[in-house]
Amino acid sequence: MLPWLSGTDPALAVLRARSADQDPTPEQLAAVREQVGLDQGPLAHLVRWLGGLSRGDAGVSWVSGEPVLPEVATAFAVSVTLMLGALVVTVAVAALVCARTLRQGAELRLREERAGTAAAFLAALPKFLLASLLATVFAVWLGWFPSSGWEGPASMVLPALALGVPSGAVIGGLLAQSLPAAFAEPWVRTWHACGFPPGYIARHGLRGAVAGVLPQLLPTIVGLVGGAVAVEKIFNIPGLGRLALDAAVARDLPPLQTATLVLVLLGVVAGLLVRAARRGMLGPALRDGALPALNPPALRPHRFTRWIGGFCALALLTLLVAGLSRDPLHVDTAARLAAPSIEHPLGTDSLGRDLLARLGHGALRTTALALGVTAVSVLIGLLLGMTGRVSAGLTEVASTLPAVLAGLLTTAVTGPSVWGAACAVCLVAWTPYAVQAAALFEQERATEHVRVSKSLGASPVHLMRRSLLPAVLPSVLRNAVLRLPTTVLVLASLGFLGLGEQPPAPEWGRLLSENQPYLELAPWTVLGPAGALVLLSVLAVSSTTGPASPGRRTLVAVLSGRRR
């Protein structure tokens, strides 16, 4: 329904994609409509396309005239191969992030809560920026790997690193948060006293913690296949995400529909596999209501947490105050891509505009919009997560929709605007929180204390306020904090495509997108926005870490109805 919702003539988009003709004649448009059957409307087109699928025919491309199914199958094979490589990197990075917590927990030496700054730093790295940096250093300068194309295993290394490092940081950060609760169970001390080796204890503790984090692999898997558009474009990889985006922009519906269907099927299959693996890890205790409660021990905050948070807050405040005193729209062509100096502390962009001014003026707008989108997404995810299996199918399907396609659909109805982009991100950004909340709610409902509370007559509302929400909400909030930079970058990608924030608005993510082509020539043009994004991520994580952070405890208490 995309072309019809936009109110534009689909034949015009198809004709321009074919020949770039800006002034087509009515005869040309009529010929295109008749050729592809546009006069019959979207419903007839969809029915005809579905009928062809039953015969193994997905139609032909309106732009190239080539059969769709072989093209989509080739792109899907490339994307799945890239996804497998990125998953290996994701698992490796996640293991490195939580290795110290795992070792200390197995040896009963876990006394401090990890600050999580390393995970926040890696999670805040923009994938397209990391891809450009890796391509510049290891492909152009050192010549170790190909800089573009898809010709063999060597072509997969740099894209897999660009996709897997931020994803692994998110998974590792969530796992590091879950491990203390697993190692606080009584069996750990008993096994340690009986002389079991720490490695053996670590494996069993990790099994319980992974079960709560495993559902996060569902949006990660689908995102690595359908959401890797920027990385695929940088490395010139003919993947499924790039194919879907190009087809959506050109209104080439047959390949777009087929690619979307493949992503939906992938999401459903991945969801079934993740759910089966999680149930296998939890074992019969999930069915019998004998799981331990999700109660992490009271660990003292890391000694550097307050210092790190204070430094990030001071740096961002300085950036804001110094930037607001400058003009973010002043163009000085004589100072294009000027290096940092006293006059321009962070340098200038390709139009000679002061980067410090643009970062300062975009700080409040970027942070407020990202926090608003994240809050709405968390709320939707919690509400749907409470329903458990009822929303499982919806979550799996929604997780397959790339934010760019959601942005195209939303823009077709509302037109390009910052609020339309925010709504588009909200349409898909709730899925990681929904799958996490559903898994944690299921585990908490299967604990002994909830079963006893039910037998004593506790109402569902009482259980939700006093037992379930206090156990689930902190983990979901930590997940939201780790994904905050991703929200900023998704909003920026929609603006870069003309679907959201429009130039010359000084939005952080847009600054990254605009200056990414100048990374090798003028690296300061992207280091400033990237550094600000990292500071925001680390500050958010440090402010929600440890018992010394009253904000998180107060929020949980308010939402769960507890009183001090």
Side-chain angles (χ1 to χ4, degrees):
M1 298 184 67
L2 176 61
W4 288 272
L5 284 175
S6 63
T8 59
D9 190 353
L12 180 61
V14 173
L15 190 60
R16 286 179 175 174
R18 288 179 177 178
S19 60
D21 188 359
Q22 299 299 316
D23 296 310
T25 63
E27 292 76 13
Q28 290 175 320
L29 294 175
V32 172
R33 294 191 196 100
E34 182 180 0
Q35 179 183 359
V36 299
L38 288 173
D39 291 334
Q40 302 175 13
L43 183 59
H45 167 78
L46 180 61
V47 171
R48 185 171 64 252
W49 177 74
L50 290 175
L53 284 180
S54 62
R55 304 186 301 271
D57 179 18
V60 297
S61 169
W62 290 356
V63 175
S64 66
E66 298 294 328
V68 168
L69 201 56
E71 184 180 13
V72 172
T74 303
F76 179 70
V78 172
S79 293
V80 168
T81 305
L82 180 58
M83 178 201 71
L84 294 177
L87 276 180
V88 173
V89 177
T90 299
V91 173
V93 172
L96 291 175
V97 169
C98 65
R100 185 174 180 181
T101 303
L102 182 64
R103 184 181 70 254
Q104 291 181 345
E107 297 175 353
L108 297 184
R109 295 190 297 108
L110 198 57
R111 300 289 185 268
E112 292 182 336
E113 185 173 1
R114 304 305 302 164
T117 54
F121 174 81
L122 294 177
L125 291 177
K127 293 180 180 178
F128 65 86
L129 178 60
L130 186 58
S132 299
L133 183 62
L134 292 173
T136 300
V137 175
F138 295 101
V140 178
W141 292 354
L142 299 178
W144 292 354
F145 301 99
S147 60
S148 64
W150 189 258
E151 301 175 355
S155 302
M156 186 176 64
V157 175
L158 297 182
L161 287 173
L163 292 171
V165 169
S167 300
V170 173
I171 300 296
L174 296 175
L175 189 57
Q177 185 197 20
S178 302
L179 284 172
F183 289 119
E185 297 175 22
W187 66 265
V188 177
R189 293 188 177 276
T190 302
W191 286 21
H192 190 271
C194 293
F196 283 93
Y200 188 77
I201 298 176
R203 288 197 300 273
H204 285 270
L206 184 63
R207 179 179 180 181
V210 166
V213 180
L214 194 61
Q216 292 299 302
L217 284 179
L218 173 60
T220 299
I221 290 173
V222 178
L224 293 177
V225 175
V229 181
V231 175
E232 290 178 353
K233 281 185 170 296
I234 290 173
F235 289 101
N236 195 25
I237 297 175
L240 192 63
R242 182 179 176 183
L243 172 65
L245 177 61
D246 292 342
V249 172
R251 302 296 196 270
D252 193 1
L253 298 192
L256 175 60
Q257 292 172 159
T258 308
T260 305
L261 177 62
V262 170
L263 288 174
V264 170
L265 294 178
L266 174 65
V268 173
V269 172
L272 294 174
L273 293 177
V274 167
R275 193 178 304 126
R278 177 175 165 273
R279 290 183 175 274
M281 288 182 177
L282 294 176
L286 179 63
R287 182 189 66 245
D288 299 337
L291 288 176
L294 303 174
N295 295 322
L299 303 175
R300 66 175 181 267
H302 193 274
R303 58 186 179 275
F304 293 129
T305 299
R306 294 182 180 179
W307 289 100
I308 294 173
F311 170 77
C312 293
L314 180 61
L316 288 174
L317 183 61
T318 303
L319 180 70
L320 176 64
V321 173
L324 289 177
S325 63
R326 296 166 176 262
D327 184 4
L329 303 180
H330 176 68
V331 176
D332 183 6
T333 55
R336 291 181 64 253
L337 301 178
S341 62
I342 297 178
E343 184 180 0
H344 303 288
L346 297 182
T348 62
D349 63 7
S350 59
L351 296 178
R353 295 174 296 190
D354 186 76
L355 285 174
L356 178 59
R358 295 183 65 75
L359 283 174
H361 282 266
L364 294 179
R365 189 184 190 93
T366 300
T367 304
L369 185 61
L371 288 175
V373 170
T374 300
V376 172
S377 302
V378 168
L379 181 59
I380 296 174
L382 281 173
L383 293 176
L384 292 177
M386 293 177 186
T387 63
R389 296 181 181 178
V390 176
S391 62
L394 175 63
T395 303
E396 292 165 356
V397 172
S399 66
T400 64
L401 183 64
V404 172
L405 295 185
L408 288 169
L409 290 171
T410 305
T411 304
V413 179
T414 65
S417 67
V418 62
W419 300 113
C423 292
V425 177
C426 289
L427 286 177
V428 296
W430 57 267
T431 53
Y433 313 122
V435 295
Q436 182 187 26
L440 295 179
F441 275 126
E442 185 182 27
Q443 286 182 235
E444 187 68 13
R445 290 190 179 105
T447 57
E448 294 181 353
H449 78 91
V450 171
R451 183 161 52 88
V452 172
S453 298
K454 288 181 180 179
S455 66
L456 294 176
S459 65
V461 175
H462 177 86
L463 289 175
M464 181 62 66
R465 294 176 60 190
R466 298 302 180 92
S467 298
L468 299 179
L469 267 181
V472 172
L473 192 57
S475 298
V476 176
L477 291 179
R478 184 59 174 262
N479 190 4
V481 167
L482 285 172
R483 294 183 183 275
L484 185 62
T486 303
T487 303
V488 174
L489 294 174
V490 172
L491 290 168
S493 66
L494 294 179
F496 189 69
L497 294 172
L499 307 177
E501 188 79 87
Q502 300 299 301
E507 195 267 335
W508 286 1
R510 186 170 186 85
L511 295 183
L512 283 169
S513 300
E514 291 175 344
N515 296 315
Q516 182 264 334
Y518 307 102
L519 174 62
E520 184 178 1
L521 178 63
W524 54 86
T525 58
V526 294
L527 289 180
L533 199 60
V534 169
L535 288 174
L536 176 64
S537 178
V538 173
L539 174 61
V541 168
S542 61
S543 64
T544 58
T545 299
S549 302
R552 180 179 61 177
R553 291 180 175 272
T554 302
L555 180 59
V556 173
V558 169
L559 293 180
S560 61
R562 286 182 172 179
R563 301 183 186 275
R564 292 188 182 273

